[in-house]
Amino acid sequence: MSTDFNQVPAFSHPPESWHTIDWSVVNRQVRGLQVRIAKATREKRWRKVKALQRLLTHSFAARTLAVRRVTENRGKKTPGVDGELWSTPQAKWLALGRLKRKGYRPAPLRRVYIPKTDGSRRPLGIPTMRDRAMQALYLLALEPVSETVADRNSYGFRPWRSTADAIEQCFVNLSRKHSAEWVLEGDIKGCFDNISHDWLLAKVPMDKHVLKMWLKAGFMESRQLYPTEAGTPQGGIISPVLANLALDGLEKVLESHFGKKNTKASYKTKVNYVRYADDFIITGISKELLENDVLPVVTAFMAERGLTLSTSKTLVTHITEGFDFLGQNLRKYNGKLLIKPSRKNLQRHLSKIKDIVKVNRTSRQDILIKQLNPVLLGWANYHRHVVAKETFGYVDYRVWKLLWRWSCRRHGNRQKRWVKKKYFHSVKSENWVFQSTLLPGKPVRLLSSKDIPIVRHTKIRAEANPYDPRDEQYFEDRLERSWKASTKGRKKLQTLWTRQGKRCPMCRSVITWETGWNVHHVVERHKGGGDELSNLVLLHPNCHRQWHAQQENSVAGLSLKRLIKA
């Protein structure tokens, strides 16, 4: 299938294959159009927004980014109903010519189910690779709009925002002596499955024809086609942004009824709103205010969008009783707000660890450690911004009990002193360190939750917009702080990242934890290159593959050393 390049006048030498694409030009073109879309949105020039979105979705640069996204994310090996995957450079290159609006018709979703924490199962629809890429393409044009019109205190499924930002905003709203003491915990019944199609088609600023086809595509289950009459295609790349657009606006509605923050009206009601995806809380000065005044406003807002609140899970709670939000418990003790890991979240974490140990009854010690470490580290990193030191110690104690039982079970006829000597060691000032020394090289050690430092999270500025050039330096500074904090103890990685100006020298776009990276040897090891800093470069995974493809095909590559110096 041929690929047309009529939309890419900025390429001095049009690419002829996937590995000859100039990603620096691609990123610059797409970023420029996204900034213009965000500006037109701020100025409420909706015809201009529509024209720029069309220009972006028809551009070659946007198509390449869309294909790269769906072939590098975690779902790249999960096919849709057609069983197709784009795993080779040739398949990716041919896919570019298929991302056209004319003649496009999405395939039904492949329905699968994933378990929920309460024992039930959540339905998930998996689009085909082509449909995922088309959604990623239109998302490039829709996200600048959604970020510009988003509620200030909405934190879910948005770039640069996280659960830590939402929790920190809760702390801001509830921690002071004269803060609100009552909290409305909102729970939307089947949010993704029940959003009104009519509302989305009327209000979402994107190509209505394409959006309608996605919403009405249906899903396949047990080889039978089922229609979709409501909800967004859960599992699709664009679904979270559609849900955010549906739920955005509630903060402004509340402000119109109860006063904007830091005004006289707001001091009387103390109504503040925080949302992460479809979970939200609203604070208030009294239980009666939340039940009789705030709740009807929220219910009416949701009804317009085809949504309802769960009567059993939508609760009004006093702050001294505490409430759970995003896996953490917020509660005031003698007038002081403390945020800790919630009991349910802790129990799920311990249950997961127990299952891993149980499955690995007969595995080697180093294999068990390698399976436990990511789980322990991920959970501790999630809770490291709150009052969790005591909980971390309790987790370490429970893990030790599980591992001691695991060790003794394997050697029932041995003395406990022998078992301890085999599996648990003394490292510096620490005793009972679960560590494997069987394999040559560096010992494999179990991570300890209590070793994760507790660090207060710096909340993102509410009005910051990643598509506004005025906020570019702000996001650069946040990226630098978060990178240094997350790579603490990895000086070589920090040095490489700083030396390169935080960017990949191939495509000139920022290297983050989300994009990932590969450590490239300028002079390869089999040619005598070593691991010294002067011979190492950080590249995006796709750029790394492109570099080696150019060398194999004898294509004149760029000098990485020269690019870094530039």
Side-chain angles (χ1 to χ4, degrees):
M1 186 177 296
S2 63
T3 306
D4 93 58
F5 297 98
N6 295 330
Q7 304 292 336
V8 285
F11 285 91
S12 56
H13 299 286
E16 298 175 353
S17 66
W18 181 257
H19 283 316
T20 58
I21 295 172
D22 189 338
W23 293 103
S24 61
V25 173
V26 165
N27 288 322
R28 193 162 58 248
Q29 283 186 339
V30 173
R31 172 72 179 176
L33 284 171
Q34 288 179 320
V35 167
R36 292 174 65 190
I37 291 171
K39 182 182 178 182
T41 304
R42 284 196 304 275
E43 297 170 353
K44 301 190 184 304
R45 300 168 60 193
W46 298 111
R47 292 181 65 182
K48 182 73 172 177
V49 169
K50 185 177 180 181
L52 290 170
Q53 285 182 325
R54 187 182 186 282
L55 185 62
L56 180 59
T57 54
H58 285 70
S59 70
F60 172 79
R63 280 183 278 159
T64 58
L65 284 184
V67 171
R68 189 171 80 170
R69 174 168 180 172
V70 301
T71 55
E72 292 186 8
N73 61 14
R74 287 192 299 176
K76 63 184 178 182
K77 296 182 179 180
T78 307
V81 292
D82 59 357
E84 183 181 13
L85 292 175
W86 299 341
S87 54
T88 65
Q90 180 66 13
K92 297 174 188 179
W93 179 250
L94 294 176
L96 297 177
R98 299 172 60 191
L99 302 188
K100 296 180 180 179
R101 182 184 185 278
K102 186 176 181 181
Y104 170 66
R105 187 171 184 83
L109 306 173
R110 181 165 71 90
R111 175 61 63 91
V112 296
Y113 293 90
I114 56 176
K116 295 174 68 174
T117 55
D118 59 1
S120 61
R121 296 191 305 166
R122 175 185 285 113
L124 193 69
I126 301 176
T128 63
M129 291 296 291
R130 185 190 182 194
D131 293 337
R132 268 179 263 176
M134 284 294 285
Q135 290 187 21
L137 176 63
Y138 279 85
L139 179 60
L140 289 170
L142 183 60
E143 195 168 65
V145 179
S146 68
E147 282 298 301
T148 306
V149 302
D151 287 341
R152 294 193 311 276
N153 290 306
S154 162
Y155 298 97
F157 303 126
R158 294 182 62 189
W160 295 92
R161 284 163 169 79
S162 65
T163 54
D165 292 305
I167 292 295
E168 189 63 26
Q169 184 60 37
C170 292
F171 182 85
V172 171
N173 292 341
L174 295 164
S175 61
R176 296 180 178 85
K177 184 178 180 181
H178 301 291
S179 296
E181 295 186 343
W182 290 91
V183 178
L184 170 67
E185 305 170 60
D187 185 273
I188 303 172
K189 192 183 294 182
C191 177
F192 280 89
D193 298 327
N194 295 311
I195 298 175
S196 167
H197 285 181
D198 292 337
W199 190 94
L200 289 172
L201 291 169
K203 301 293 185 180
V204 174
M206 67 167 287
D207 190 314
K208 310 296 183 186
H209 177 68
V210 174
L211 177 59
K212 185 175 182 179
M213 286 195 295
W214 286 337
L215 296 176
K216 303 294 184 183
F219 63 90
M220 295 288 292
E221 186 174 6
S222 302
R223 298 185 179 181
Q224 188 170 349
L225 177 63
Y226 295 90
T228 48
E229 302 300 332
T232 59
Q234 195 171 174
I237 288 175
I238 206 169
S239 299
V241 174
L242 295 178
N244 270 341
L245 285 168
L247 296 175
D248 280 333
L250 180 55
E251 189 168 23
K252 292 178 182 176
V253 170
L254 292 171
E255 287 176 352
S256 67
H257 282 79
F258 306 103
K260 198 171 183 179
K261 194 170 183 180
N262 298 326
T263 61
K264 288 184 178 180
S266 69
Y267 288 136
K268 294 179 181 178
T269 60
K270 298 180 181 177
V271 171
N272 292 296
Y273 169 78
V274 181
R275 178 172 68 84
Y276 187 91
D278 58 343
D279 294 324
F280 66 90
I281 65 153
I282 302 173
T283 66
I285 200 168
S286 68
K287 185 176 183 179
E288 291 73 22
L289 173 74
L290 292 175
E291 289 182 340
N292 301 331
D293 298 326
V294 174
L295 190 56
V297 172
V298 176
T299 303
F301 178 88
M302 297 297 173
E304 290 179 18
R305 291 147 175 79
L307 301 172
T308 56
L309 297 176
S310 171
T311 54
S312 60
K313 296 180 181 179
T314 300
L315 309 170
V316 177
T317 311
H318 196 270
I319 193 61
T320 56
E321 297 176 13
F323 65 96
D324 292 347
F325 186 55
L326 302 178
Q328 295 176 347
N329 180 264
L330 296 87
R331 182 179 175 185
K332 268 191 176 179
Y333 301 83
N334 297 322
K336 185 175 183 179
L337 181 69
L338 297 181
I339 306 175
K340 304 178 182 181
S342 71
R343 186 183 296 274
K344 288 182 180 179
N345 188 273
L346 174 61
Q347 289 173 346
R348 284 199 298 270
H349 178 55
L350 293 174
S351 177
K352 186 174 183 179
I353 294 171
K354 186 176 180 180
D355 291 342
I356 293 174
V357 174
K358 189 175 180 180
V359 168
N360 288 276
R361 287 194 197 97
T362 58
S363 300
R364 291 201 319 261
Q365 185 183 12
D366 59 301
I367 293 175
L368 175 61
I369 292 173
K370 287 176 181 177
Q371 290 194 33
L372 286 174
N373 275 348
V375 176
L376 293 168
L377 183 63
W379 187 84
N381 276 334
Y382 181 84
H383 293 287
R384 66 193 168 102
H385 302 299
V386 299
V387 185
K389 203 68 178 177
E390 184 179 339
T391 309
F392 286 177
Y394 176 70
V395 169
D396 288 341
Y397 166 69
R398 291 289 300 272
V399 171
W400 175 85
K401 285 190 70 173
L402 283 170
L403 295 178
W404 177 247
R405 194 178 303 154
W406 177 88
S407 304
C408 292
R409 180 187 174 279
R410 294 162 70 89
H411 307 282
N413 59 339
R414 291 281 191 171
Q415 292 184 352
K416 300 295 187 288
R417 190 184 300 273
W418 184 92
V419 173
K420 177 185 182 298
K421 187 177 180 180
K422 179 174 177 63
Y423 293 105
F424 297 88
H425 306 273
S426 295
V427 180
K428 295 181 180 179
S429 61
E430 292 184 72
N431 297 319
W432 292 90
V433 176
F434 193 68
Q435 179 175 281
S436 173
T437 56
L438 292 175
L439 298 178
K442 191 175 180 180
V444 182
R445 175 182 175 175
L446 184 76
L447 296 174
S448 176
S449 298
K450 63 178 174 53
D451 290 339
I452 303 297
I454 303 296
V455 182
R456 181 75 176 269
H457 178 73
T458 303
K459 191 184 82 69
I460 193 169
R461 201 173 65 224
E463 294 82 7
N465 186 343
Y467 298 103
D468 190 338
R470 294 171 296 184
D471 292 326
E472 193 159 334
Q473 187 58 49
Y474 172 77
F475 284 108
E476 288 267 349
D477 294 340
R478 281 189 67 85
L479 174 62
E480 186 166 355
R481 285 199 302 272
S482 65
W483 180 273
K484 287 181 178 178
S486 57
T487 58
K488 194 173 182 180
R490 303 170 71 179
K491 291 185 178 180
K492 185 175 284 189
L493 191 61
Q494 286 187 6
T495 303
L496 289 173
W497 189 71
T498 305
R499 186 183 72 182
Q500 297 174 199
K502 312 166 193 164
R503 297 178 182 275
C504 169
M506 289 281 287
C507 66
R508 306 308 302 167
S509 59
V510 176
I511 295 175
T512 67
W513 285 94
E514 287 73 24
T515 64
W517 67 86
N518 291 156
V519 179
H520 171 72
H521 290 74
V522 178
V523 178
E524 297 174 13
R525 286 181 175 178
H526 69 273
K527 295 180 180 178
D531 290 333
E532 59 274 10
L533 281 170
S534 59
N535 192 48
L536 300 179
V537 182
L538 293 183
L539 300 175
H540 286 131
N542 184 72
C543 296
H544 197 202
R545 289 191 292 269
Q546 183 179 30
W547 172 266
H548 284 290
Q550 288 177 347
Q551 305 310 306
E552 290 172 6
N553 297 328
S554 301
V555 177
L558 297 171
S559 170
L560 291 178
K561 287 186 176 179
R562 179 175 59 80
L563 283 172
I564 293 169
K565 290 178 181 178

